[in-house]
Amino acid sequence: MIKKFISKKKISSIIKELGKKISEEYKNKNESEIIILSILKGSFIFVADLVREIQVPCKIDFLISSSYSGKTSTGKVKLEKEFKLDLKNKHILILEDIIDTGLSLNFIIAELKKKKPKSIQICTLLLKKNKHKFKYPIDFVGFEIEDEFVIGYGLDYNEEYRNLDYIGILK
Ligand code: IMP
Ligand code: MG
């Protein structure tokens, strides 16, 4: 059973806000270019919507990581693709669908740091509060949520439900 949780309208208004904040942040830094790294698969819809609200020059690349089986993190994170763009001395903005334990991002950031970027900032649409073991500051958060398993708007349960235009709780 799916319980409606965050509507299409609420998602789109938070994305406009995030886009404004991110644009301001990088305009103030007076930087010419940022590299947006989208963590697939879950962030694909979020990224497509958010980048159209970002008003500073950017390049976009994708990473594929996986650690989940069903509703639980296996704790073992796999990166399934090498970075195509040169990240040295670049400002990186990571776009993630959801941070739960934070283990995936801890792993991804450790890998990214080896490429010597100038800065790494993080934007996540959803953050599960209380539970995360994430080691870094999270710069932009859409919604803080309780410890529930959510689906839709890119997020899946065993690859299903990504196509929902709202976020639901799977009961
Ligand atoms: P973490 O490593 O525990 O922070 O989880 C990272 C990834 O697991 C997220 O980027 C999602 O792709 C997936 N994930 C975590 N929680 C959920 C959820 O509630 N629904 C769907 N996917 C989730
Ligand atoms: Mg993900």
Side-chain angles (χ1 to χ4, degrees):
M1 190 199 97
I2 301 169
K3 194 173 127 200
K4 277 214 173 182
F5 181 41
I6 306 173
S7 69
K8 187 177 166 180
K9 211 171 139 196
K10 274 202 189 139
I11 297 171
S12 109
S13 88
I14 208 79
I15 283 178
K16 287 208 166 72
E17 264 178 46
L18 287 173
K20 265 194 205 132
K21 284 187 193 155
I22 290 168
S23 306
E24 281 306 308
E25 169 83 10
Y26 286 96
K27 256 184 224 153
N28 293 340
K29 278 192 172 163
N30 213 8
E31 290 300 337
S32 52
E33 188 183 87
I34 54 177
I35 297 196
I36 289 177
L37 283 184
S38 153
I39 315 294
L40 295 176
K41 296 175 191 173
S43 71
F44 80 108
I45 298 180
F46 174 47
V47 170
D49 285 344
L50 180 59
V51 291
R52 284 175 282 180
E53 303 294 334
I54 293 180
Q55 309 296 332
V56 288
C58 60
K59 289 182 179 170
I60 302 166
D61 205 353
F62 300 90
L63 288 185
I64 304 179
S65 85
S66 61
S67 68
Y68 266 64
S69 172
K71 284 189 182 180
T72 43
S73 172
T74 60
K76 281 190 210 118
V77 186
K78 271 196 310 195
L79 257 196
E80 297 181 20
K81 183 181 156 297
E82 253 303 315
F83 317 109
K84 272 263 169 61
L85 298 172
D86 181 16
L87 305 178
K88 198 170 173 192
N89 275 325
K90 299 281 163 53
H91 289 283
I92 297 177
L93 176 65
I94 297 176
L95 298 189
E96 181 60 299
D97 49 352
I98 185 165
I99 298 176
D100 178 2
T101 62
L103 293 174
S104 311
L105 265 196
N106 282 342
F107 177 84
I108 288 168
I109 289 175
E111 291 300 303
L112 285 174
K113 284 193 164 177
K114 295 180 190 162
K115 310 280 175 182
K116 308 264 182 258
K118 204 181 223 173
S119 72
I120 300 177
Q121 289 201 299
I122 296 144
C123 172
T124 186
L125 178 62
L126 300 161
L127 175 66
K128 286 191 195 172
K129 53 186 174 194
N130 306 323
K131 214 173 143 219
H132 66 98
K133 297 182 183 132
F134 191 50
K135 294 192 280 194
Y136 306 91
I138 303 171
D139 306 278
F140 309 95
V141 177
F143 303 96
E144 273 202 44
I145 64 168
E146 301 297 332
D147 187 15
E148 303 264 21
F149 194 84
V150 290
I151 43 137
Y153 194 70
L155 291 141
D156 73 308
Y157 172 65
N158 286 342
E159 298 300 327
E160 266 188 82
Y161 308 112
R162 294 193 195 275
N163 59 320
L164 300 181
D165 64 1
Y166 62 93
I167 294 169
I169 295 174
L170 193 64
K171 292 281 182 195

